[in-house]
Amino acid sequence: MPRRTTALLALTAAIAVGCKGDHAGPPPAPASSASAPVISSAAPLLSDTAAHAMIVDDCLSCHTEQMLAQQRLTPRQWASEVKKMQGWGAPVEPENIDPLAAYLAAKYSTETAPERVPTISPADAAAAIAPLPDGAFAGGDAGRGATAYHELCATCHADDAGGAAVGVHLVDRPLLHRAADFARVVRSGRGRMPAFRVEDVPDAQIANLLAHLRSSR
Amino acid sequence: MMRRRQLIELGASIATSTLVGPALADEALLQHLGAPQDLGTPLEALNRLITPTPLFFVRSHFGPPALDLARKIRISGLVRQPFEIDETAFGHLQQVTVTAVLQCAGNGRALQTPRVPGVQWVHGAMGQATWTGVRLKDVLERAGVLPGAAHVRLAGADLPPKPTVPAFLRSIPLARALDPGTLIAYRMNGEPLTLAHGAPFRLIVPGWAGDHWIKWLTDLHVQKDEAEGFYFQTAYRLPIEPVSPGAAVPPEATRPLTTLPVKSIIAQPLDGSRQRVGKQEITGVAFSGEKAIARVEVSLDGGASWRAATLEGEPGAGRWQVFRHVFEDRTPGPKHAVVRAIEAGGATQPEKAAWNPGGYLWNGWHAVSWEVVA
């Protein structure tokens, strides 16, 4: 797995549970060559598969894909946005900036039909960020959690869990109070974060990690 | 013209339950972003004096911090006595309730031509609620503001996802901080603030755009200068002079945006809907951050002639009133209505909103078309 590390890269609660919009988003826009201006004629447009992999790896640890899909921008605006995000820490490889911007400018251009905005019930919206009982992940030991954190997570998320080049910050977040969602991210992976095997991070270890992170504020 | 002081009421002046309207069960938020949450109020709900909290829009830069009702607010900087305060200490201060519009600065961004990047709000990033808390003025007076202070920098507990992302730091001028309408609120529509709306504390700045209404408020730093950083020096700014649509505007040619301009929105009928012949009802809300609304006018002939709508609710700067225009129409066919608001003193909602690179504070005339059927 090139570019992937073995470190734990957990995500925010909202990201872990807030994926509905991805499914209910606008219909894919046709990348018509007539309305798809390109930034650099030398570079062929990325395939959907390649672009999607890049977006998952480089964008979605901070926000869902709908942030991109709702924009209707010119190539110049897209290039500016991708560069701004890279400057803010999106781990886009330098050689990928232009191809990604060109892909987005073709897919979400000023000619693309408007986004069909999905809906969410107020109850579901509130539930997505609400604390939940720890269940099987209760009673963790913060000391053991600190050891596990430094072994598994700190490479990407920083020693103080404040986030770094690849990993997002893990301090004072709703996800720390949604233990099952936290465990799901750890064991499923997300973006550049690999999936950890249950044998390597059993329930008791998840509980320890949560105890440590909750005390890290 | 209403004075800002008149905005302030002791106790909720409105019995929320009677104004919520039809059951909320089948009403849904518009999900502009699932994570972090950017959720819009449905247009058809913008015909009520009070927007029910479950349907009240949510804007997040980074998403909420963990729910922590014991979170304190730290008052520091150019003050005689820095201190920390929580709700228990608020008991010594006068509790105040205001009714005020909260509108995201970016509401209507999707209506800007040419398009600009950002959350593509249409109409749903606004609502009106009652906000209960203590005056920021009373808190600052207890701390003792020192000479040389001119701004209060505001920060919440929501951290950016990575250290390389700028923190959401804002400031308000000291004069606005000392305005009796500026509150540290802990209740919304009579209930404790929800996490999405800023629990345990958020700032309330009636008449000013939502970027000043800091959620999860933890830091008030009294200082000489306005806030540094992206979210004050680059974002949430308007061109000082009008610019042509699509123009690049250098930062030195911009100023911070503050007051909500005069605006009205039609909630009903919905664009593209069908209504039975007979009674037609055009309703929505109108407000200005600067002054009370003087009147709202509806045109059924594309702006050739205008009729005054009736207004409900108390007039005042920074709060909205519901407008209503009812008429009989026995002729099936396509119908069209456009609405404009006029504030006390005469400023009229412009037919076309001024374009700006951030897509802020859109307030053009809102038009709807519907079909009257037999």
Side-chain angles (χ1 to χ4, degrees):
Chain A
M1 286 196 297
R3 295 191 310 175
R4 297 199 178 221
T5 75
T6 54
L8 170 59
L9 195 157
L11 297 162
T12 66
I15 288 165
V17 298
C19 299
K20 292 188 177 69
D22 296 344
H23 307 301
S32 123
S33 56
S35 64
V38 290
I39 286 177
S40 161
S41 54
L45 205 57
L46 289 172
S47 69
D48 282 339
T49 308
H52 185 69
M54 208 178 278
I55 288 166
V56 168
D57 275 7
D58 297 344
C59 310
L60 304 192
S61 59
C62 293
H63 56 73
T64 48
E65 194 162 356
Q66 198 188 353
M67 191 70 225
L68 310 175
Q70 67 185 281
Q71 310 299 326
R72 297 291 181 267
L73 303 174
T74 65
R76 181 189 293 264
Q77 287 173 310
W78 269 119
S80 168
E81 287 302 299
V82 173
K83 282 175 191 150
K84 174 182 156 193
M85 287 296 117
Q86 197 221 22
W88 283 11
V92 189
E93 308 292 346
E95 67 272 21
N96 288 341
I97 292 177
D98 286 348
L100 181 58
Y103 174 85
L104 293 168
K107 183 159 187 176
Y108 305 118
S109 79
T110 52
E111 308 301 319
T112 305
E115 184 199 22
R116 195 161 44 80
V117 180
T119 59
I120 183 171
S121 75
D124 286 349
I129 57 171
L132 295 172
D134 286 338
F137 309 103
D141 179 277
R144 288 180 187 172
T147 304
Y149 177 84
H150 288 287
E151 187 185 316
L152 301 171
C153 321
T155 306
C156 287
H157 293 279
D159 284 343
D160 63 359
V166 173
V168 297
H169 89 78
L170 299 173
V171 180
D172 198 12
R173 309 204 77 160
L175 183 65
L176 303 180
H177 303 274
R178 302 173 60 86
D181 287 339
F182 180 88
R184 196 174 303 124
V185 177
V186 171
R187 290 165 180 171
S188 305
R190 179 88 186 197
R192 296 196 180 208
M193 175 177 169
F196 285 75
R197 297 186 310 171
V198 175
E199 306 90 271
D200 295 336
V201 193
D203 289 0
Q205 193 72 299
I206 295 278
N208 294 339
L209 286 167
L210 286 171
H212 165 64
L213 289 168
R214 288 173 188 172
S215 67
S216 300
R217 236 172 87 182
Chain B
M1 163 183 150
M2 297 291 288
R3 294 182 57 211
R4 194 163 260 136
R5 182 172 288 276
Q6 289 173 275
L7 287 176
I8 298 164
E9 305 142 322
L10 292 175
S13 66
I14 296 166
T16 307
S17 58
T18 61
L19 295 166
V20 166
L24 301 177
D26 56 348
E27 291 185 286
L29 291 152
L30 300 165
Q31 182 178 277
H32 290 276
L33 197 61
Q37 286 184 331
D38 286 313
L39 310 171
T41 300
L43 182 57
E44 58 269 33
L46 296 175
N47 64 348
R48 303 165 182 173
L49 284 175
I50 295 295
T51 310
T53 303
L55 289 177
F56 205 101
F57 85 92
V58 173
R59 164 72 176 123
S60 316
H61 286 88
F62 313 129
L67 178 63
D68 178 4
L69 297 179
R71 229 178 263 288
K72 291 180 160 58
I73 300 174
R74 190 166 39 251
I75 294 99
S76 62
L78 292 174
V79 291
R80 250 192 329 275
Q81 182 64 53
F83 65 101
E84 289 192 338
I85 192 168
D86 62 16
E87 192 165 349
T88 56
F90 286 164
H92 303 289
L93 301 173
Q94 186 185 10
Q95 181 171 291
V96 176
T97 295
V98 305
T99 301
V101 175
L102 170 55
Q103 180 180 227
C104 175
N107 199 25
R109 180 176 289 120
L111 303 169
Q112 298 269 6
T113 309
R115 300 289 288 265
V116 296
V119 179
Q120 298 297 305
W121 301 110
V122 184
H123 299 299
M126 63 181 197
Q128 177 154 276
T130 62
W131 310 95
T132 301
V134 297
R135 292 186 179 99
L136 177 55
K137 173 178 184 282
D138 291 348
V139 172
L140 292 176
E141 278 172 4
R142 186 178 143 190
V145 175
L146 294 173
H151 298 271
V152 179
R153 192 189 68 202
L154 312 158
D158 52 330
L159 295 172
K162 294 178 181 179
T164 39
V165 178
F168 186 61
L169 288 178
R170 300 280 312 161
S171 62
I172 56 174
L174 187 60
R176 195 65 181 86
L178 297 176
D179 185 291
T182 304
L183 305 187
I184 298 171
Y186 38 81
R187 296 176 83 81
M188 173 182 182
N189 290 338
E191 301 288 336
L193 277 172
T194 64
L195 179 61
H197 293 110
F201 304 116
R202 84 176 302 166
L203 201 69
I204 304 303
V205 192
W208 281 24
D211 50 302
H212 304 91
W213 297 46
I214 300 296
K215 295 193 279 191
W216 315 296
L217 184 67
T218 52
D219 283 282
L220 297 165
H221 189 80
V222 182
Q223 56 189 44
K224 178 171 165 290
D225 300 310
E226 59 187 25
E228 296 289 337
F230 176 84
Y231 286 105
F232 200 91
Q233 299 299 338
T234 302
Y236 296 113
R237 299 178 79 88
L238 291 174
I240 295 167
E241 302 293 337
V243 298
S244 55
V249 183
E252 60 273 18
T254 64
R255 61 170 175 84
L257 66 85
T258 53
T259 310
L260 301 173
V262 59
K263 177 171 180 176
S264 60
I265 288 296
I266 300 170
Q268 288 166 347
L270 289 174
D271 197 53
S273 65
R274 289 152 74 93
Q275 311 289 331
R276 289 248 167 245
V277 290
K279 187 174 106 171
Q280 306 295 306
E281 188 167 341
I282 298 168
T283 63
V285 294
F287 60 93
S288 159
E290 192 71 46
K291 295 174 179 171
I293 292 297
R295 63 184 193 280
V296 173
E297 297 175 338
V298 177
S299 176
L300 303 174
D301 53 15
S305 64
W306 296 88
R307 311 158 195 217
T310 58
L311 294 176
E312 297 161 22
E314 279 184 56
R319 62 190 298 164
W320 79 30
Q321 291 180 274
V322 169
F323 69 82
R324 193 177 305 277
H325 178 62
V326 181
F327 62 100
E328 281 287 312
D329 194 331
R330 305 219 149 265
T331 318
K335 309 294 168 182
H336 182 81
V338 60
V339 64
R340 67 182 184 191
I342 296 102
E343 67 182 26
T348 299
Q349 183 179 355
E351 182 173 1
K352 292 195 187 314
W355 184 92
N356 62 84
Y360 297 123
L361 301 179
W362 183 91
N363 70 331
W365 291 355
H366 186 208
V368 296
S369 298
W370 74 101
E371 182 89 10
V372 166
V373 294

